[in-house]
Amino acid sequence: MTTRLADIAAQAGVSEATVSRVLNGKPGVAATTRQSVLAALDVLGYERPVRLRQRSEGLVGLITPELENPIFPALAQVIGQALTRQGYTPVLATQTPGGSTEDELTEMLVDRGVAGIIYVSGLHADTTADMERYERLRAQGVPYVLVDGFSPKVQAPFISPDDRAAMTLAVTHLVSLGHTRIGLALGPKRFVPVQRKIDGFVRAMQDQLGLAAQEIESDLVQHSLYTLEGGQAATAALIERGCTAVVCASDMMALGAIRAARQRGHEVPRDISVVGFDDSPLIAFTDPPLTTVRKPVPAMGQAAVRTLLEEIGGTPAPHSEFVFMPELVVRGSTASAPGERNRP
């Protein structure tokens, strides 16, 4: 027991006497200190005494796409932690190919009496989907927030990264390195984030290189799937069209882009520069470390929770979109364009 107290005290940065007071439910301990001790218990894998277990304020559903792309677990973790801090219990419901649909997962969560639902990259991002499903949910009195994707047809709060600004950051960086033949690899065109990235990319290429919009869209934009294989296929096509740099709409696609370049005997970044999007966990440790546009995941996740809890508390957010600014993170997958290096 003494060893355990010492461990917890060291982890929480408090005295053993303070740990003892918290574990025994004694008064006279600040709320933040109490929370630090409980967090230390959790981190060290100790079970909380029954009297200290939180009573849940209720369940909150979180519906995400597949978890193979590490950006979704990262966002789920931020949202889950923010909900837990507010006393709610997150329930993660994941869509998988051939598994439950978004509508089925929604029905399951509503049947379990969730206080609200956060949707990440759901059907609200698909311009061809029927948005009536969200209005029906509102009619049932279930608050919800929509992350990544916007629809003017849905009266709800939306949380998004600035996809247009992300493309401006990527193109500006590559043009500064001397690249003039820059390709864009991204997912199917029916999704709102894809359309916004194309819009931002075309504008940046027009402004900085003076290219015509039609030429950019027909020659330099390649649609595929949001997977490593999708990035590989799209990049192969863009390399064939003479691109010396490729901007990808996800880090997973960017890893596929690097593979496509190497299969053709090119080195990254000596021959081909690659920029990702997301700054997923561990992406700084790839070979080469990936230059990427960092999606503001902590800010977006916390805003989604804050907005939902306001709705649950009876203060509905307006039909609006909260847009968060991304950030360029330069690492080792981008370099001067091949022709630039030989100039005096």
Side-chain angles (χ1 to χ4, degrees):
M1 183 63 183
T2 310
T3 310
R4 187 170 77 163
L5 281 178
D7 288 346
I8 298 165
Q11 178 70 29
V14 299
S15 69
E16 290 182 38
T18 300
V19 173
S20 180
R21 294 186 73 81
V22 172
L23 295 182
N24 290 301
K26 295 284 173 44
V29 181
T32 51
T33 305
R34 187 179 299 275
Q35 199 58 44
S36 296
V37 171
L38 294 178
L41 273 176
D42 297 340
V43 168
L44 295 170
Y46 291 124
E47 192 175 357
R48 290 188 185 187
V50 174
R51 74 176 82 84
L52 297 180
R53 291 177 195 165
Q54 289 180 329
R55 188 183 177 284
S56 174
E57 294 283 348
L59 305 176
V60 169
L62 172 60
I63 300 182
T64 69
E66 43 76 26
L67 295 176
E68 287 181 8
N69 185 334
I71 202 63
F72 293 126
L75 191 53
Q77 184 171 15
V78 170
I79 290 171
Q81 286 174 340
L83 285 167
T84 303
R85 279 196 297 272
Q86 297 299 323
Y88 286 85
T89 302
V91 180
L92 179 61
T94 306
Q95 298 175 69
T96 50
S100 298
T101 63
E102 181 180 308
D103 290 339
E104 288 166 345
L105 293 174
T106 299
E107 188 179 343
M108 178 269 290
L109 291 169
V110 172
D111 286 347
R112 279 157 180 74
V114 292
I117 301 175
I118 297 174
Y119 292 88
V120 176
S121 298
L123 290 168
H124 63 277
D126 187 341
T127 56
T128 64
D130 179 9
M131 296 299 156
E132 281 295 312
R133 54 177 44 88
Y134 299 110
E135 292 309 305
R136 288 194 293 271
L137 184 61
R138 182 164 298 289
Q140 291 177 271
V142 180
Y144 57 89
V145 173
L146 303 157
V147 180
D148 267 347
F150 176 79
S151 172
K153 299 174 186 172
V154 182
Q155 298 294 313
F158 291 82
I159 309 286
S160 306
D162 192 331
D163 288 301
R164 295 183 181 93
M167 294 300 100
T168 302
L169 288 170
V171 169
T172 302
H173 171 60
L174 292 168
V175 170
S176 75
L177 293 171
H179 294 275
T180 55
R181 193 75 178 162
I182 302 167
L184 175 62
L186 72 185
K189 193 169 183 178
R190 68 181 189 273
F191 294 109
V192 172
V194 170
Q195 294 173 5
R196 288 176 168 181
K197 284 186 176 76
I198 293 172
D199 187 31
F201 180 77
V202 168
R203 279 195 215 170
M205 294 287 281
Q206 283 178 305
D207 292 346
Q208 299 188 43
L209 295 172
L211 301 178
Q214 192 171 357
E215 177 194 348
I216 299 165
E217 284 219 45
S218 61
D219 293 354
L220 302 177
V221 175
Q222 185 67 38
H223 295 279
S224 188
L225 298 176
Y226 272 116
T227 59
L228 193 146
E229 293 78 15
Q232 186 176 344
T235 301
L238 292 167
I239 290 173
E240 292 294 320
R241 293 178 210 152
C243 290
T244 61
V246 179
V247 180
C248 298
S250 78
D251 291 337
M252 294 291 281
M253 292 188 84
L255 296 181
I258 292 171
R259 182 193 279 180
R262 286 175 175 162
Q263 279 185 336
R264 279 153 186 75
H266 299 305
E267 276 189 37
V268 176
R270 190 191 70 188
D271 306 310
I272 304 283
S273 285
V274 176
V275 179
F277 178 80
D278 282 335
D279 197 26
S280 315
L282 302 181
I283 214 68
F285 304 102
T286 57
D287 177 27
L290 187 67
T291 294
T292 190
V293 180
R294 178 179 292 156
K295 191 173 185 172
V297 166
M300 288 175 60
Q302 288 158 15
V305 170
R306 194 163 54 246
T307 306
L308 182 69
L309 296 189
E310 283 175 4
E311 294 249 331
I312 291 170
T315 313
H319 175 226
S320 57
E321 184 178 23
F322 302 96
V323 180
F324 291 79
M325 189 66 184
E327 172 190 357
L328 180 71
V329 183
V330 179
R331 297 193 182 105
S333 65
T334 49
S336 300
E340 291 292 299
R341 258 173 253 123
N342 304 325
R343 295 190 180 181

